[in-house]
Amino acid sequence: MRGEAELDTLVVGAGVVGLAVAAALAEAGRSVLVVERNAAPGRETSSRSSEVIHAGLYYPEGSWKARLCVEGNARLYELCEREGIAHRRIEKLVVATSDAELPALERLHALAQRNGARGELRRLEPRLELVAALHSPSTGIIDSHGLMKVLEARARAAGAAFLLRCALEAIDPLPAGGYRSRLRHPGGVESLESRSLVNAAGLESDRVARLAGVDGYRLHWCKGDYFAVCGPPARAVSHLIYPVPASPGSPSLGVHVTLDLAGRVRLGPDVTYVEREPPPSLAVAEEKREAFYLAARRLLPGLEREHLQPDTAGLRPKLQGPGEGFRDFVIEEDRPGLVDLVGIESPGLTACLAIGSMVRQMLAATA
């Protein structure tokens, strides 16, 4: 870039959602520039997830999270098969470990059916002492880094450009339509004009919206810690195992058992709201071992405290604060040509392709 440049769409943020949006727009024939503050795409929330392909069991009927998760699930499996992205349809059990949890499990089953997510009540893990389980055959795991590489390659092949180590400093709406953005990168400070702008800035998406004059969003950063499971309990299961959630749309699905493509077993993530300033540490708190053990011992037979080791942690951008109820994704054209994607946490990875298609449709009028 030199001085004033013009393009169709500026995409702010190169996490998995920003990459999916960029690919969808570029493949529709739009000129696209993606700006990312880190040295490479996907360095924040997208690279620190559980890498689960969700089915859409949990989210309130009719919500964006429910609809885009179910659509995204099918499209993600298709993309994985077509592009050779490592994945595994490992399936999931949501388990009731007492009779008292059966009504909640049955309500979850009914919600999953209304959302169009496949699921049936059954028992699969013979070594687990369960009353009942909701089996989700379309839940899986994916190499999220492989997914992001494919999306980036597709965007670039369709003509999208990327500017890394780039901070967005200002957004000014133009009188005739479109936006002028001021960008600071290692080469200096530059401005460019774009007909439209997509805010896919993840943890900073509320701040980016404010730069464009949209002041109604406030994100709460939520840290999720993971503990690795070693020893015999790690060999006791072959599916993802989740407890019955406290309520539909709960900010936490509870500490659950996840497996990765290498066969490692992890517990997490938990939910800990953290301050945004100063930037929170991503070290896993050793003192959480006891809470993880107490939460997981009913899910993993033979689990002892010494089987748990601190693993990794990530940050999620939540619209709901502590103690607040369900908040849906924000996917909104808040100003002509300005699409804000705010609060895109789980199931954002699963829904990324569906979100990309939705943004393309929203901006079709500005082409």
Short mmCIF file of all heavy atoms in Angstrom, two decimals, residues 65 205-206 216-222 251 273 316-322 324-331 341-345:
data_model
loop_
_atom_site.label_atom_id
_atom_site.label_comp_id
_atom_site.label_asym_id
_atom_site.label_seq_id
_atom_site.Cartn_x
_atom_site.Cartn_y
_atom_site.Cartn_z
N LYS A 65 -26.22 -19.21 16.95
CA LYS A 65 -25.33 -20.28 17.37
C LYS A 65 -25.87 -21.65 16.98
O LYS A 65 -25.12 -22.51 16.50
CB LYS A 65 -25.08 -20.22 18.88
CG LYS A 65 -24.20 -19.06 19.31
CD LYS A 65 -23.88 -19.08 20.80
CE LYS A 65 -22.94 -17.94 21.18
NZ LYS A 65 -22.58 -17.96 22.60
N SER A 205 -13.08 -7.15 19.00
CA SER A 205 -14.13 -6.75 18.06
C SER A 205 -15.03 -5.64 18.61
O SER A 205 -15.55 -4.83 17.83
CB SER A 205 -14.98 -7.97 17.65
OG SER A 205 -15.48 -8.65 18.78
N ASP A 206 -15.21 -5.56 19.91
CA ASP A 206 -15.99 -4.44 20.45
C ASP A 206 -15.23 -3.12 20.28
O ASP A 206 -15.82 -2.08 19.98
CB ASP A 206 -16.37 -4.69 21.91
CG ASP A 206 -15.18 -4.97 22.83
OD1 ASP A 206 -14.07 -5.26 22.33
OD2 ASP A 206 -15.35 -4.88 24.07
N GLY A 216 -22.27 0.01 21.11
CA GLY A 216 -23.19 -0.77 21.93
C GLY A 216 -22.67 -2.11 22.42
O GLY A 216 -23.42 -2.85 23.06
N TYR A 217 -21.43 -2.46 22.14
CA TYR A 217 -20.93 -3.78 22.49
C TYR A 217 -19.85 -3.69 23.57
O TYR A 217 -18.99 -2.81 23.54
CB TYR A 217 -20.34 -4.49 21.27
CG TYR A 217 -21.30 -4.57 20.10
CD1 TYR A 217 -20.96 -4.03 18.87
CD2 TYR A 217 -22.54 -5.19 20.24
CE1 TYR A 217 -21.82 -4.11 17.79
CE2 TYR A 217 -23.42 -5.26 19.18
CZ TYR A 217 -23.06 -4.72 17.95
OH TYR A 217 -23.92 -4.79 16.89
N ARG A 218 -19.90 -4.65 24.49
CA ARG A 218 -18.84 -4.77 25.49
C ARG A 218 -18.54 -6.25 25.69
O ARG A 218 -19.43 -7.03 26.07
CB ARG A 218 -19.27 -4.16 26.82
CG ARG A 218 -18.14 -4.22 27.85
CD ARG A 218 -18.62 -3.97 29.25
NE ARG A 218 -17.56 -4.27 30.21
CZ ARG A 218 -17.78 -4.57 31.48
NH1 ARG A 218 -19.01 -4.62 31.95
NH2 ARG A 218 -16.77 -4.82 32.29
N LEU A 219 -17.31 -6.62 25.40
CA LEU A 219 -16.90 -8.01 25.55
C LEU A 219 -16.30 -8.24 26.93
O LEU A 219 -15.67 -7.36 27.52
CB LEU A 219 -15.87 -8.38 24.49
CG LEU A 219 -16.39 -8.56 23.07
CD1 LEU A 219 -15.23 -8.76 22.11
CD2 LEU A 219 -17.36 -9.72 22.99
N HIS A 220 -16.50 -9.46 27.42
CA HIS A 220 -15.88 -9.93 28.65
C HIS A 220 -14.90 -11.04 28.26
O HIS A 220 -15.30 -12.02 27.63
CB HIS A 220 -16.92 -10.47 29.63
CG HIS A 220 -18.00 -9.48 29.94
ND1 HIS A 220 -17.93 -8.59 31.00
CD2 HIS A 220 -19.19 -9.23 29.33
CE1 HIS A 220 -19.01 -7.85 31.03
NE2 HIS A 220 -19.79 -8.21 30.02
N TRP A 221 -13.65 -10.86 28.64
CA TRP A 221 -12.67 -11.90 28.33
C TRP A 221 -12.78 -13.03 29.34
O TRP A 221 -12.87 -12.79 30.55
CB TRP A 221 -11.27 -11.32 28.35
CG TRP A 221 -10.96 -10.50 27.13
CD1 TRP A 221 -11.83 -10.03 26.20
CD2 TRP A 221 -9.67 -10.05 26.72
NE1 TRP A 221 -11.18 -9.32 25.24
CE2 TRP A 221 -9.85 -9.30 25.53
CE3 TRP A 221 -8.39 -10.19 27.26
CZ2 TRP A 221 -8.78 -8.72 24.87
CZ3 TRP A 221 -7.32 -9.59 26.60
CH2 TRP A 221 -7.51 -8.88 25.41
N CYS A 222 -12.79 -14.23 28.83
CA CYS A 222 -12.97 -15.41 29.67
C CYS A 222 -11.84 -16.39 29.40
O CYS A 222 -11.65 -16.82 28.25
CB CYS A 222 -14.32 -16.05 29.36
SG CYS A 222 -14.75 -17.37 30.47
N PRO A 251 -23.07 -20.23 29.95
CA PRO A 251 -21.76 -19.78 29.48
C PRO A 251 -20.69 -20.85 29.56
O PRO A 251 -19.62 -20.71 28.99
CB PRO A 251 -21.43 -18.60 30.41
CG PRO A 251 -22.26 -18.81 31.62
CD PRO A 251 -23.52 -19.47 31.13
N TYR A 273 -13.53 -15.49 34.33
CA TYR A 273 -13.52 -14.15 33.77
C TYR A 273 -12.27 -13.41 34.24
O TYR A 273 -11.90 -13.48 35.42
CB TYR A 273 -14.78 -13.39 34.17
CG TYR A 273 -16.01 -13.84 33.39
CD1 TYR A 273 -16.86 -14.84 33.89
CD2 TYR A 273 -16.30 -13.25 32.16
CE1 TYR A 273 -17.96 -15.24 33.17
CE2 TYR A 273 -17.43 -13.65 31.45
CZ TYR A 273 -18.25 -14.64 31.95
OH TYR A 273 -19.35 -15.04 31.23
N ARG A 316 -11.57 -16.42 25.49
CA ARG A 316 -12.78 -16.37 24.66
C ARG A 316 -13.45 -15.00 24.83
O ARG A 316 -13.51 -14.47 25.95
CB ARG A 316 -13.76 -17.46 25.11
CG ARG A 316 -13.30 -18.86 24.78
CD ARG A 316 -14.06 -19.91 25.60
NE ARG A 316 -13.55 -19.97 26.96
CZ ARG A 316 -14.04 -20.79 27.89
NH1 ARG A 316 -15.06 -21.56 27.61
NH2 ARG A 316 -13.52 -20.80 29.11
N PRO A 317 -13.97 -14.45 23.73
CA PRO A 317 -14.69 -13.16 23.81
C PRO A 317 -16.17 -13.38 24.07
O PRO A 317 -16.93 -13.70 23.16
CB PRO A 317 -14.45 -12.56 22.42
CG PRO A 317 -14.34 -13.74 21.51
CD PRO A 317 -13.80 -14.88 22.32
N LYS A 318 -16.60 -13.19 25.31
CA LYS A 318 -18.00 -13.44 25.66
C LYS A 318 -18.78 -12.14 25.77
O LYS A 318 -18.29 -11.16 26.35
CB LYS A 318 -18.10 -14.20 26.98
CG LYS A 318 -17.70 -15.67 26.88
CD LYS A 318 -17.98 -16.38 28.19
CE LYS A 318 -17.72 -17.88 28.07
NZ LYS A 318 -18.69 -18.54 27.20
N LEU A 319 -19.98 -12.12 25.25
CA LEU A 319 -20.86 -10.98 25.44
C LEU A 319 -21.55 -11.02 26.80
O LEU A 319 -21.88 -9.97 27.35
CB LEU A 319 -21.91 -10.93 24.32
CG LEU A 319 -21.40 -10.37 22.99
CD1 LEU A 319 -22.34 -10.73 21.86
CD2 LEU A 319 -21.21 -8.87 23.08
N GLN A 320 -21.79 -12.21 27.34
CA GLN A 320 -22.42 -12.29 28.65
C GLN A 320 -21.36 -12.21 29.74
O GLN A 320 -20.32 -12.86 29.67
CB GLN A 320 -23.26 -13.56 28.82
CG GLN A 320 -22.49 -14.87 28.85
CD GLN A 320 -22.40 -15.52 27.49
OE1 GLN A 320 -22.25 -14.87 26.48
NE2 GLN A 320 -22.52 -16.84 27.46
N GLY A 321 -21.63 -11.38 30.74
CA GLY A 321 -20.74 -11.28 31.87
C GLY A 321 -21.05 -12.34 32.91
O GLY A 321 -21.96 -13.17 32.74
N PRO A 322 -20.31 -12.35 34.00
CA PRO A 322 -20.54 -13.34 35.07
C PRO A 322 -21.99 -13.31 35.55
O PRO A 322 -22.53 -12.23 35.85
CB PRO A 322 -19.57 -12.90 36.17
CG PRO A 322 -18.51 -12.14 35.46
CD PRO A 322 -19.19 -11.44 34.33
N GLU A 324 -24.70 -13.74 33.94
CA GLU A 324 -25.70 -13.32 32.96
C GLU A 324 -26.13 -14.50 32.09
O GLU A 324 -25.44 -15.50 31.98
CB GLU A 324 -25.14 -12.20 32.09
CG GLU A 324 -24.85 -10.92 32.87
CD GLU A 324 -24.25 -9.84 32.01
OE1 GLU A 324 -23.99 -10.09 30.82
OE2 GLU A 324 -24.03 -8.72 32.54
N GLY A 325 -27.30 -14.35 31.45
CA GLY A 325 -27.86 -15.41 30.64
C GLY A 325 -27.28 -15.46 29.25
O GLY A 325 -26.33 -14.75 28.91
N PHE A 326 -27.87 -16.29 28.41
CA PHE A 326 -27.39 -16.56 27.06
C PHE A 326 -27.29 -15.28 26.23
O PHE A 326 -28.19 -14.44 26.25
CB PHE A 326 -28.35 -17.54 26.37
CG PHE A 326 -28.03 -17.79 24.92
CD1 PHE A 326 -27.04 -18.66 24.56
CD2 PHE A 326 -28.73 -17.12 23.92
CE1 PHE A 326 -26.73 -18.89 23.22
CE2 PHE A 326 -28.46 -17.34 22.58
CZ PHE A 326 -27.45 -18.22 22.23
N ARG A 327 -26.19 -15.14 25.50
CA ARG A 327 -26.03 -14.09 24.50
C ARG A 327 -25.61 -14.74 23.19
O ARG A 327 -24.68 -15.56 23.16
CB ARG A 327 -24.99 -13.06 24.94
CG ARG A 327 -25.38 -12.25 26.15
CD ARG A 327 -26.50 -11.25 25.87
NE ARG A 327 -26.10 -10.26 24.87
CZ ARG A 327 -25.43 -9.14 25.14
NH1 ARG A 327 -25.07 -8.88 26.39
NH2 ARG A 327 -25.13 -8.29 24.18
N ASP A 328 -26.28 -14.36 22.14
CA ASP A 328 -26.03 -14.96 20.83
C ASP A 328 -24.88 -14.26 20.14
O ASP A 328 -24.44 -13.18 20.54
CB ASP A 328 -27.30 -14.85 19.98
CG ASP A 328 -27.38 -15.89 18.88
OD1 ASP A 328 -26.45 -16.72 18.76
OD2 ASP A 328 -28.40 -15.90 18.15
N PHE A 329 -24.38 -14.88 19.05
CA PHE A 329 -23.45 -14.18 18.17
C PHE A 329 -24.07 -12.86 17.71
O PHE A 329 -25.27 -12.78 17.44
CB PHE A 329 -23.18 -15.00 16.91
CG PHE A 329 -22.39 -16.26 17.08
CD1 PHE A 329 -22.49 -17.27 16.13
CD2 PHE A 329 -21.54 -16.45 18.15
CE1 PHE A 329 -21.76 -18.44 16.25
CE2 PHE A 329 -20.80 -17.62 18.29
CZ PHE A 329 -20.91 -18.62 17.32
N VAL A 330 -23.25 -11.84 17.58
CA VAL A 330 -23.65 -10.63 16.87
C VAL A 330 -23.11 -10.72 15.45
O VAL A 330 -21.88 -10.80 15.25
CB VAL A 330 -23.11 -9.36 17.56
CG1 VAL A 330 -23.33 -8.14 16.66
CG2 VAL A 330 -23.81 -9.15 18.89
N ILE A 331 -24.00 -10.76 14.48
CA ILE A 331 -23.64 -10.73 13.06
C ILE A 331 -24.55 -9.67 12.46
O ILE A 331 -25.69 -9.93 12.09
CB ILE A 331 -23.84 -12.10 12.39
CG1 ILE A 331 -23.05 -13.18 13.14
CG2 ILE A 331 -23.44 -12.04 10.92
CD1 ILE A 331 -23.29 -14.59 12.63
N LEU A 341 -18.88 -8.62 13.62
CA LEU A 341 -18.95 -9.99 14.13
C LEU A 341 -18.40 -9.95 15.54
O LEU A 341 -17.18 -9.92 15.74
CB LEU A 341 -18.13 -10.94 13.24
CG LEU A 341 -18.45 -10.92 11.74
CD1 LEU A 341 -17.50 -11.84 10.98
CD2 LEU A 341 -19.90 -11.32 11.49
N VAL A 342 -19.28 -9.92 16.53
CA VAL A 342 -18.88 -9.68 17.92
C VAL A 342 -19.36 -10.84 18.79
O VAL A 342 -20.47 -11.34 18.62
CB VAL A 342 -19.46 -8.35 18.44
CG1 VAL A 342 -18.95 -8.05 19.85
CG2 VAL A 342 -19.11 -7.19 17.50
N GLY A 343 -18.50 -11.24 19.72
CA GLY A 343 -18.87 -12.35 20.60
C GLY A 343 -18.85 -13.69 19.90
O GLY A 343 -19.60 -14.59 20.26
N ILE A 344 -17.98 -13.84 18.91
CA ILE A 344 -17.90 -15.11 18.18
C ILE A 344 -16.96 -16.03 18.94
O ILE A 344 -15.76 -16.10 18.70
CB ILE A 344 -17.42 -14.90 16.73
CG1 ILE A 344 -18.22 -13.79 16.05
CG2 ILE A 344 -17.55 -16.21 15.95
CD1 ILE A 344 -19.68 -14.08 15.84
N GLU A 345 -17.54 -16.72 19.89
CA GLU A 345 -16.82 -17.74 20.66
C GLU A 345 -17.31 -19.09 20.18
O GLU A 345 -17.73 -19.22 19.03
CB GLU A 345 -17.08 -17.52 22.15
CG GLU A 345 -18.56 -17.35 22.48
CD GLU A 345 -18.90 -17.63 23.92
OE1 GLU A 345 -18.12 -18.32 24.60
OE2 GLU A 345 -19.96 -17.18 24.37
#
